[in-house]
Amino acid sequence: MARALLLYLSLGCSVAQGRTCMSAQFRKPGDYILGGLFPFGMNTMNLSERLEPSIIVCERLYASGLIWALGMKFAIDKINNSTSLLPGIKLGYEIYDSCLEPVVVIQPSLLFLTREGSAGIRVLCSYTDYQTRVTAVIGPYLSDLALITAKLFSFFLIPQVSYGASSEKLSQEEYYPSFFRTVPSDKSQSKALVQLLDKFGWNWIAAIGSENEYGREGLGTFSSLATAQGICIAYEALIPADPSVPQDHKKLETIIKYINETQVNVIVLFSVDRPVKALLEQWISHGFSQKVWIATEAWVMSDIVTSIPNIQTIGTVIGFTIKGGIVPGFQDYVADLFASIQQESFCRASWEYSLDADSAVLGPQCRQCDNVSLHDVSHLLENQQTYAVYVAVYSVAHTLHQALGCTEEGCPKATVKSWQLLDIMKELQFTLDNQSFQMDQFHSMNQGFDIMFWSWQKGNLRYIPVGDYQESLRINTSQIRFHTMDKKKPVSTCFWRCEPGQIKRVKGFHLCCYDCIDCEENTYESKDDLFCTNCPEHQWSPIRSTKCYDRSERYFFWDEPLIIGLLVLMLFVMVLTGLSAVLFLKNLNTPLVQAAGGARSIFALLFLLLMCLSLCLQIGKPSTASCMLQQPLYTLCLCACFSTFLVKSLEIVLLTEFTSCPKGFLLWVTQKRAWLVVAVTCLVESMLCFWYIYSVPAFPVRDYKLLHSQVLIRCKIKSWFAYIMIHGYNGGLAFICFLCTFMVQTPAKKYNMARGITFSMLAYFVTWIAFIATYSTVQATQQPAAEICGGLLCALGILTSFYIPKCYILLFKPEWNTLAYFQLHQGRAS
């Protein structure tokens, strides 16, 4: 009788004040009870001022939370009317206010853990047979709250399916084994945010988060991914949880000031809606310029944010919502419910259920809901977060369906412990509204995101889908109208993305701001893209390269144009030398050949020929043997030639300048004894060459520094002293020959044999002076060509100065090649 009286008094009071019985719609009995944690209200008091653990009543309505709770109620009512899912089973529910506060959410969570049919929790050694009040829990919405409740429910292994908690920490199964969610994690959303920024080329941004688990963890994950992608975060901060506190209000003012001073055009807000509301209200009040605001799913469609006065003046808003769509039939269901809660009979039945609740424990579930009309919440009925609630309820229902072993005929009403549902839920797969759902290894249903754009049309806000994200981003940029004058995207860059082969040189005060610098030759861009890495010695790279290439070998090849030209010159000199030797041999016993040295002249020509051949050692890939023999062969052949000139020069000087010398001296430079002088002269040079080869031979080296893309293989002189010694010996012979023949005087019209030797030695000296000047100035790559050219010019100078004139006489003036002519014309020069 007292219960009926109380019911009628409550109903009459509601009708008298124009109120509904919405607050009585959040409890329903059933065979299996699901607990619900939804943010019906928001706290308006400073929790730090609490002095006793009294109940916290959140008077300010959070309309979105009410709609989500109605989404759970709708899903359960739909399942109870289904003939294929849990046939014959009625699900009940108990939905309580989380108030978006960790302190508040603990109380209903503890109630869910109480023993079935009681309000107490017993302390037991084992809870295997412990039957809790609820079979599973839907919610809560925030990660801060879920991290608390998941610890409690995981101890009892009660399945908890959140429709909004996205913290990456909750993916750790070892800490939260019974936690599941129907929304993507923060990491997935952070990847989507980074790809969106990259798509528009924005790499100079501000990143702001809310000072709670969602904001801290989300902002941290986003920052690391953005930095790895090369996006520069000019300013990063956390919005205080309660900006109404003077100290926190000052902090918010500082954040706004710094955002404005950085002059970025893009701001990422990884935050729940209440801190966003505080920040944007201050932004609007200061009249700061319009920006691009990148929104997360927590606030992009929140009525708390969209109801801010002049919110359309903040600029462009692009954000992510959880993919899922509109719950089919939900709008009609809510409209019917709001019509029903104004009917006396419906409210009477609702109050009957409500009076059975533990009102002494928790009080009314949603005291402020009785003042809400359909008009107040109609704009929230398409909120896609409701779909996550809808899927969460169905995931529990399908799990229970499998655990009971239901068939088309019905389900056995057996006792099912909460922990028995976990293994089934981990592998859960089901279809809902022609869409497949499956739990992944992190206990999440990652359905991806839709990308929403705020479009203001005649003062009214419309959410326009412009793309989606499922592992990769797809977006139709033509549908986005930016706040700029030309409606094109604003520029927000601190740098231009570096091209391959370029490195970043930091500029200004931000480490992520930089200029792009080309990597120089023989360096390449490494993975860290901060420094150019030197190529290994055996490799090279061009300017602005990303890798190194193997060097090609550089030396004088036989088919090079320069070498071919020198070989032609060499062949010409060798043919000229050979023909001279043949001509001298044919006229060996004639007076002219005998006066020129006879057989010794042929000996000199043969070694001059060998000297030209020795120059071929300068061509081709240098080897140990070729480097060792190059200089000794050349100098020894030239020494053999000069030794014959030495004998003839001594003969001339004895006959012209030292006529009083004993004739015994003259015998050593004439006839057969002259060969002994030649042999001794060559023996000395041979000893010097042997010392050169044995002690300090030249050797092949690979020069990696001279050419940027090739390795130069060349012969390196080990001892320049030894080099000067073997060449200086020939120079000494040439100097003696020059001194012996230079001052010889001949009467007019007399043939002068000494002049040929003098000019030959002059040709030798001129050639060497030119060679030294050329060798010291040309690159190392051309030095072998200089040596070949110098040797050939030296041979050509000797031929043209000494042998060619005599060949001319032998061929064209045979009348001069007589003993009588020489006795008449040679005079003292003979």
Side-chain angles (χ1 to χ4, degrees), residues 190-200 469 471-473:
S190 296
K191 289 180 179 178
L193 288 168
V194 170
Q195 288 194 25
L196 179 67
L197 294 171
D198 191 57
K199 175 69 176 179
F200 285 104
Y469 173 84
E471 300 300 330
S472 62
L473 188 80

Side-chain angles (χ1 to χ4, degrees), residues 799-814:
L799 283 172
T800 55
S801 299
F802 189 80
Y803 294 104
I804 297 300
K806 294 171 178 58
C807 290
Y808 174 78
I809 293 174
L810 292 174
L811 290 173
F812 302 107
K813 299 290 183 180

Side-chain angles (χ1 to χ4, degrees), residues 222 596 658:
F222 166 75
F658 299 97

Side-chain angles (χ1 to χ4, degrees), residues 444-465:
S444 301
M445 288 185 181
N446 190 354
Q447 299 304 308
F449 297 93
D450 287 320
I451 305 173
M452 292 294 177
F453 165 64
W454 282 16
S455 176
W456 294 96
Q457 298 177 2
K458 297 180 180 180
N460 296 319
L461 174 61
R462 287 186 58 206
Y463 301 106
I464 299 179

Side-chain angles (χ1 to χ4, degrees), residues 586-629:
K586 187 177 180 181
N587 297 277
L588 180 61
N589 296 318
T590 61
L592 179 61
V593 174
Q594 288 298 317
R600 293 191 301 275
S601 293
I602 299 174
F603 173 83
L605 286 169
L606 289 177
F607 272 96
L608 201 61
L609 186 68
L610 288 175
M611 185 191 78
C612 293
L613 281 175
S614 71
L615 294 174
C616 291
L617 292 174
Q618 302 282 351
I619 307 171
K621 185 176 181 178
S623 64
T624 302
S626 64
C627 289
M628 185 187 300
L629 295 176

Side-chain angles (χ1 to χ4, degrees), residues 81-102:
N81 293 326
S82 173
T83 57
S84 59
L85 183 60
L86 292 175
I89 296 295
K90 295 298 181 183
L91 295 180
Y93 51 84
E94 291 186 10
I95 303 174
Y96 292 96
D97 187 9
S98 68
C99 199
L100 298 174
E101 289 288 352

Side-chain angles (χ1 to χ4, degrees), residues 243-255:
S244 61
V245 178
Q247 184 177 355
D248 287 348
H249 181 77
K250 185 177 180 181
K251 183 178 180 181
L252 182 60
E253 288 282 346
T254 303
I255 292 172

Side-chain angles (χ1 to χ4, degrees), residues 92-164:
Y93 51 84
E94 291 186 10
I95 303 174
Y96 292 96
D97 187 9
S98 68
C99 199
L100 298 174
E101 289 288 352
V103 175
V104 177
V105 80
I106 292 176
Q107 195 172 12
S109 299
L110 291 174
L111 179 63
F112 293 156
L113 298 176
T114 60
R115 198 178 189 94
E116 187 178 22
S118 70
I121 303 176
R122 294 184 62 187
V123 179
L124 302 173
C125 293
S126 173
Y127 287 88
T128 303
D129 298 324
Y130 186 83
Q131 189 68 41
T132 54
R133 185 185 189 96
V134 297
T135 303
V137 178
I138 306 299
Y141 171 59
L142 294 182
S143 296
D144 296 60
L145 280 58
L147 287 168
I148 296 171
T149 59
K151 288 286 188 181
L152 291 172
F153 298 140
S154 292
F155 177 75
F156 290 87
L157 294 180
I158 297 176
Q160 174 188 2
V161 187
S162 174
Y163 52 89

